[in-house]
Amino acid sequence: TRQFWITAHVPEKAAAGVYSGEVTLSAGALKVTLPLKLEVLPFALDEPEYTMAYYGTEVPRAVQEQRGDAAWRDLLKVLRENGMNTVSGGPGIGFSGLDADGKPKLDFTACDHYVKLVQEAGFTKELDGYGDLGRVIGLHDGYVIGETGHAWEKKTGKSFGEILKIVYGAVREHAKAAGWPPMRLGFIDEPRVLEGAQKQLELLKAYESAVPDVNTGGSYSVQWKDDPFEKVMQETFKTVHWSALNLHTQTDLDKAKEFGRQLYIYNQGTSRYSFGTYQWAEMRKGVKGRLQWHLLALHGYQFFDLDGREPDTAYINWGKDGIIPTLRLHQCREGADDFRYAVTLWNLCEKTPDAPAAKEARAWLEDVSAKIPVNKNSAPDGFMSDEAFRAGCVERIGKVMGGK
């Protein structure tokens, strides 16, 4: 038994109405013809001020060697067509010291090329730097200053803070000249040991002191309790510009407002609900975006949890003829579309806030958000279905557009 997912790409200028067609499945002499109907609605969906991406925007090395940029363009197209509005990951910036005039020797080649491909594919929102994207490689040891950073101090006779100012000043100028979109630079990846977290915090404070315009952050968890490790993570939360949290509570949202920091979420589920109605509720509560593990992660055989650790989480696979999307990818796309319906409805209400239909629709959307607790990424008992949520948005969009 197999499931088949059929995607219709509707042209921007298509007239609203119901379209009919057929799909034929064949295997040898067997043919099955299925009638289909597609309703095109008389409005387009808005792009939210909220970012969505899968971790690990990568092309396998063997595929890249064979197909080059064509493979990247295929991948970016698949991500765009399946609901994502940004990417996570990419190449960093090479650093090989200061020249005789004290200017940093930086290699932007790979990063420039990657950003160009991303922009050509239609991604315009801030990019997530999980991995190396936008970071200067060779300046320090990963997420700590380390031996590399201190070696540059000795070699140049400058403090680490001074080096940061020189290097990231040049990066800032290049990014502006090259037209790069904003980037979130990831410097945290779920620390677990006190000493490591302390050294990581030292690096983050150096960045905040020397180059406060660099958008530092990362993926981790924090608990607001009196514990040596958690005290360091609390200070990390206060220091960085943004935090991507897995488990999160209202306290985290309140602290983000208190300290003027941005809160993102990650690994919140792979269901239509988690990318749709739940995501709407999280955005209304103050969350700025979400990331999901992992575009290409294969832990063992693709269909069973044979390694005893976790089932495969890949959203796509690469075959000899190109990208093979999974059903999970399409299900999450459905959710991302549900989310956009809610955003579109809210934006329409903002244009005519005093109209009765707009007041009712805003109240309905706020009620949906209120019924979903923070971090509740599976539907509460008795909650409306995903289909009902989208239908509710569509009905209200029609009423608000009609001025009723």
Side-chain angles (χ1 to χ4, degrees), residues 255-309:
K255 293 291 185 182
K257 290 180 181 178
E258 179 183 347
F259 303 130
R261 299 314 195 200
Q262 292 188 327
L263 188 64
Y264 294 75
I265 53 177
Y266 74 99
N267 293 4
Q268 294 293 299
T270 61
S271 67
R272 176 177 172 178
Y273 169 83
S274 81
F275 267 87
T277 317
Y278 168 70
Q279 200 160 255
W280 165 252
E282 290 281 288
M283 187 180 77
R284 290 301 303 150
K285 292 175 174 64
V287 173
K288 301 299 182 182
R290 74 95 59 80
L291 295 151
Q292 192 64 36
W293 190 268
H294 179 286
L295 185 62
L296 300 170
L298 295 176
H299 305 107
Y301 185 58
Q302 282 96 319
F303 302 103
F304 301 101
D305 181 16
L306 296 183
D307 63 355
R309 177 172 169 265

Side-chain angles (χ1 to χ4, degrees), residues 51 86-87 115 118-119 123-129 133-134 175-176 179-185 213 215 262 264:
T51 57
T86 191
V87 297
V115 170
V118 167
Q119 290 177 319
F123 293 96
T124 59
K125 295 190 176 299
E126 63 178 9
L127 308 182
D128 177 70
L133 180 65
K176 183 177 180 180
W180 285 6
M183 294 184 186
R184 297 197 311 269
L185 273 59
D213 60 312
N215 196 12
Q262 292 188 327
Y264 294 75

Side-chain angles (χ1 to χ4, degrees), residues 138-160:
L139 181 59
H140 49 80
D141 293 340
Y143 301 150
V144 300
I145 296 174
E147 294 181 4
T148 301
H150 293 307
W152 285 122
E153 288 181 313
K154 293 177 182 177
K155 189 171 183 178
T156 63
K158 301 179 183 296
S159 70
F160 186 69

Side-chain angles (χ1 to χ4, degrees), residues 91-96 131-133 135-140 168:
I93 303 160
F95 173 68
S96 54
D132 293 337
L133 180 65
R135 290 200 291 125
V136 177
I137 309 304
L139 181 59
H140 49 80
Y168 277 94

Side-chain angles (χ1 to χ4, degrees), residues 218-284:
S219 307
Y220 64 106
S221 296
V222 58
Q223 297 184 50
W224 301 92
K225 62 182 182 180
D226 189 10
D227 172 88
F229 177 82
E230 293 301 336
K231 287 291 185 183
V232 174
M233 299 317 300
Q234 292 164 24
E235 190 64 23
T236 297
F237 187 98
K238 298 175 188 178
T239 300
V240 295
H241 294 215
W242 60 276
S243 296
L245 304 183
N246 188 339
L247 298 176
H248 57 287
T249 65
Q250 185 61 47
T251 300
D252 299 311
L253 291 164
D254 295 341
K255 293 291 185 182
K257 290 180 181 178
E258 179 183 347
F259 303 130
R261 299 314 195 200
Q262 292 188 327
L263 188 64
Y264 294 75
I265 53 177
Y266 74 99
N267 293 4
Q268 294 293 299
T270 61
S271 67
R272 176 177 172 178
Y273 169 83
S274 81
F275 267 87
T277 317
Y278 168 70
Q279 200 160 255
W280 165 252
E282 290 281 288
M283 187 180 77
R284 290 301 303 150

